[in-house]
Amino acid sequence: MEKAKIILDKDYVVGKVDPRLFGSFVEHLGRCVYGGIYEPGHPTADEEGFRGDVLALVKELGVPVVRYPGGNFVSGFRWEDSVGPVAERPARLDLAWCTTEPNAFGMGEFIRWCRKAGAAPMYSINLGTRGVQEAQDVVEYANHPGGTRLSDLRQSHGAKEPYGIKLWCLGNEMDGPWQTGHKTAREYGRLANEAGKVMKWVDPSIELVACGSSSSEMPTFGAWEREVLEECYDTVDYISLHRYYGNPTGDTPGFLARSMDMDAFIKSVAAVCDSVAAQRHSKKKLMLSFDEWNVWYHSNGQDADIKKTQPWGTGLPLLQDVYNFEDALLVGSMLMTLLRNADRVKIACMAQLVNVIAPIMTENGGAAWAQTIFWPFLHASRFGRGTALNALVTSPTYACADYDEVPYVDAAAVLGEDGSLTLFCVNRSLTEDFALETELRAFGALRPVEHIVLHHDDVKAVNTAAAPHEVEPRTVPVTEGPIRLPALSWNVVRFA
Ligand code: AHR
């Protein structure tokens, strides 16, 4: 068996883990809303049409915050279409996904769904086709107590109390030419500043996320962040990062190393934020919102031609990636990357929640089940709250297309409020088990009490409606001494 070592010290702290690191994303896209979280007539649907089986899985994941309603969808969206009596709401063409949006599920439904899911809303506004006035209006409608036209309108729609939405995204991926109303960094930065300013005038308690790059591979990456922040640094609280990875060539070792790219992305964006702060002599430290991340490539071919085929249906089967076992391993490493950067990344949203590049899949009128990536997310959300520690890992490395030295053992550690310690590890080796020696410093008497392993002999194994339990974690006996990390495995080791 190969050997690796990890040193953990209670006082060697990265930072407090913001629970919002385990957020998710619901977009009006494909079957995320219609047929996902909302399906009136489904056997498990409640009186509002919210699927009970999906809500149960969402609660199991413990998602504390959900970004909504887009995504690319939001850049042509009129929020006022989505409020008031459903029968009076208009159907609209959604140009982002060539879909007909019936607006049967809107802002009020989302807020009530969030309450049932135990999640806080993170609401995106349209800065593609809209501007400062609409930004002011939507905050007034949602958050002003009453006595004005828009807050009274909300009350007349049955919501006496303000929705109290604290977290707002200033548009979506405005650097992307695919975006409705795409802008240059200067155009967007100015608009974000002016829209954000009035939104905070309406409700000073809100927090704002400015759009960063839609990927670190964008030709404008870096310059985009700098120019945007030069315009809106004082107004916003976070800048966003989006990143998806795929394995189209079947290069598992290279694919599993992609979390190193995510880490470099985070550090580069933090560096740009700090350089803008320095330039402005600002003491403010901008935080990061990694509000779209996941594996996404299985469905790319299927969705590539949507602008040409223009289906204009509702609840179309778009972006329905069926995740395999190796995807779960990379998702585990991506979660650990977020934890290791917990001092800077305060919000992160796995994209998305149901059916659309999601941990939860459903059939219309039928079952809901957990995809492979559900499991590392659940473990991180459940056991990754507390204080992220700096895990010093000594591990043999391998070379792949992008990196000369990729550690076989990838690890992160979190100290819980109750003094318990959780160690997350991925063994990236295709063939070798690892014996992981742990040196725990200054913790007092801690013993391993639980070891959960996610492993499958086939990296391409998937969960389906017919076989929903094919890839599932199991608990293995805990041992004193080195921890055995099976080849290609996600591990959660809990010490108490
Ligand atoms: O999550 C799917 C899409 O990916 C979102 O709509 C967009 O923001 C990103 O490009």
Side-chain angles (χ1 to χ4, degrees):
M1 198 162 5
E2 293 280 340
K3 287 194 176 114
K5 180 174 176 179
I6 184 165
I7 300 173
L8 293 170
D9 190 306
K10 197 174 165 196
D11 299 314
Y12 205 175
V13 164
V14 174
K16 191 123 187 64
V17 178
D18 191 316
R20 296 174 301 174
L21 220 54
F22 310 110
S24 190
F25 176 31
V26 165
E27 178 169 4
H28 281 257
L29 194 186
R31 297 176 56 251
C32 189
V33 173
Y34 303 111
I37 63 173
Y38 175 79
E39 192 182 341
H42 186 273
T44 70
D46 65 12
E47 64 295 345
E48 298 196 86
F50 304 158
R51 279 183 68 149
D53 54 354
V54 172
L55 264 174
L57 286 164
V58 173
K59 282 191 203 156
E60 216 181 319
L61 285 178
V63 173
V65 66
V66 180
R67 181 169 174 254
Y68 172 88
N72 297 341
F73 169 81
V74 84
S75 297
F77 176 60
R78 293 168 245 218
W79 68 268
E80 59 275 27
D81 289 349
S82 79
V83 301
V86 175
E88 292 168 24
R89 296 183 196 168
R92 297 271 190 193
L93 289 185
D94 160 32
L95 301 183
W97 303 107
C98 292
T99 292
T100 302
E101 172 53 55
N103 284 303
F105 185 99
M107 186 194 286
E109 287 79 13
F110 176 63
I111 297 292
R112 293 194 294 278
W113 180 86
C114 279
R115 288 178 188 148
K116 288 182 180 172
M122 177 180 188
Y123 197 85
S124 309
I125 66 160
N126 174 358
L127 288 186
T129 60
R130 303 195 121 186
V132 178
Q133 185 63 63
E134 294 93 344
Q136 173 187 336
D137 290 351
V138 66
V139 181
E140 183 180 324
Y141 177 89
N143 284 8
H144 194 67
T148 66
R149 185 172 145 64
L150 290 171
S151 54
D152 288 349
L153 185 66
R154 182 200 66 243
Q155 292 193 342
S156 77
H157 293 157
K160 182 132 188 43
E161 298 305 321
Y163 290 144
I165 302 173
K166 288 286 168 235
L167 207 47
W168 295 78
C169 302
L170 298 169
N172 176 71
E173 295 191 349
M174 298 310 304
D175 61 327
W178 59 85
Q179 204 69 214
T180 307
H182 159 60
K183 294 180 173 44
T184 66
R186 292 281 168 208
E187 287 167 348
Y188 169 69
R190 288 268 304 129
L191 179 58
N193 192 57
E194 294 308 309
K197 196 172 79 181
V198 300
M199 291 166 79
K200 283 191 168 173
W201 285 346
V202 176
D203 181 353
S205 74
I206 64 175
E207 291 190 309
L208 300 173
V209 184
C211 290
S213 294
S214 45
S215 158
S216 48
E217 291 188 335
M218 292 297 287
T220 50
F221 170 55
W224 172 271
E225 280 76 2
R226 181 177 52 75
E227 289 177 33
V228 165
L229 291 177
E230 280 170 1
E231 300 296 337
C232 67
Y233 194 85
D234 297 335
T235 302
V236 304
D237 304 283
Y238 307 90
I239 187 150
S240 73
L241 298 82
H242 290 182
R243 195 68 171 99
Y244 298 96
Y245 297 107
N247 186 13
T249 59
D251 168 19
T252 299
F255 176 62
L256 296 181
R258 301 300 280 152
S259 53
M260 292 171 64
D261 180 77
M262 184 188 198
D263 187 68
F265 186 21
I266 292 170
K267 294 197 163 59
S268 304
V269 174
V272 176
C273 292
D274 293 348
S275 103
V276 174
Q279 198 181 313
R280 304 172 74 77
H281 303 277
S282 171
K283 291 197 167 42
K284 173 172 165 182
K285 193 168 182 179
L286 205 74
M287 295 296 159
L288 310 188
S289 172
F290 212 125
D291 46 42
E292 284 188 38
W293 69 269
N294 205 345
V295 171
W296 174 12
Y297 76 105
H298 298 284
S299 63
N300 278 356
Q302 170 199 338
D303 309 316
D305 285 340
I306 192 158
K307 288 278 196 292
K308 286 189 200 131
T309 53
Q310 297 197 311
W312 301 127
T314 299
L316 301 166
L318 300 176
L319 279 62
Q320 297 201 154
D321 278 44
V322 176
Y323 289 111
N324 60 34
F325 168 59
E326 68 179 5
D327 298 331
L329 295 179
L330 180 62
V331 161
S333 282
M334 292 175 85
L335 285 157
M336 290 193 288
T337 304
L338 293 170
L339 287 170
R340 287 191 296 256
N341 288 284
D343 55 331
R344 211 62 201 259
V345 184
K346 297 295 169 187
I347 304 162
C349 304
M350 177 187 254
Q352 299 190 5
L353 186 57
V354 190
N355 291 326
V356 174
I357 44 174
I360 299 168
M361 287 293 265
T362 71
E363 286 175 332
N364 290 337
W369 65 96
Q371 294 230 59
T372 61
I373 61 169
F374 182 94
W375 296 111
F377 188 96
L378 176 140
H379 295 146
S381 171
R382 191 170 289 173
F383 303 121
R385 305 195 187 203
T387 303
L389 299 180
N390 205 334
L392 290 179
V393 180
T394 312
S395 161
T397 60
Y398 65 91
C400 66
D402 291 330
Y403 299 98
D404 293 335
E405 291 185 278
V406 182
Y408 280 111
V409 175
D410 189 22
V414 175
L415 184 62
E417 299 293 344
D418 59 357
S420 68
L421 175 73
T422 301
L423 182 59
F424 302 100
C425 299
V426 165
N427 177 357
R428 292 177 170 127
S429 170
L430 267 55
T431 51
E432 302 303 318
D433 292 359
F434 269 79
L436 180 69
E437 184 193 335
T438 52
E439 187 176 325
L440 307 183
R441 295 177 179 169
F443 288 96
L446 275 184
R447 300 187 61 245
V449 291
E450 190 178 18
H451 183 179
I452 304 167
V453 177
L454 185 70
H455 169 79
H456 199 288
D457 288 338
D458 178 5
V459 286
K460 304 297 178 192
V462 298
N463 292 341
T464 60
H469 305 294
E470 184 63 29
V471 182
E472 260 188 357
R474 67 198 159 90
T475 301
V476 299
V478 283
T479 47
E480 295 295 336
I483 301 162
R484 182 172 165 269
L485 308 174
L488 286 178
S489 62
W490 158 256
N491 298 263
V492 183
V493 186
R494 310 204 54 239
F495 297 84

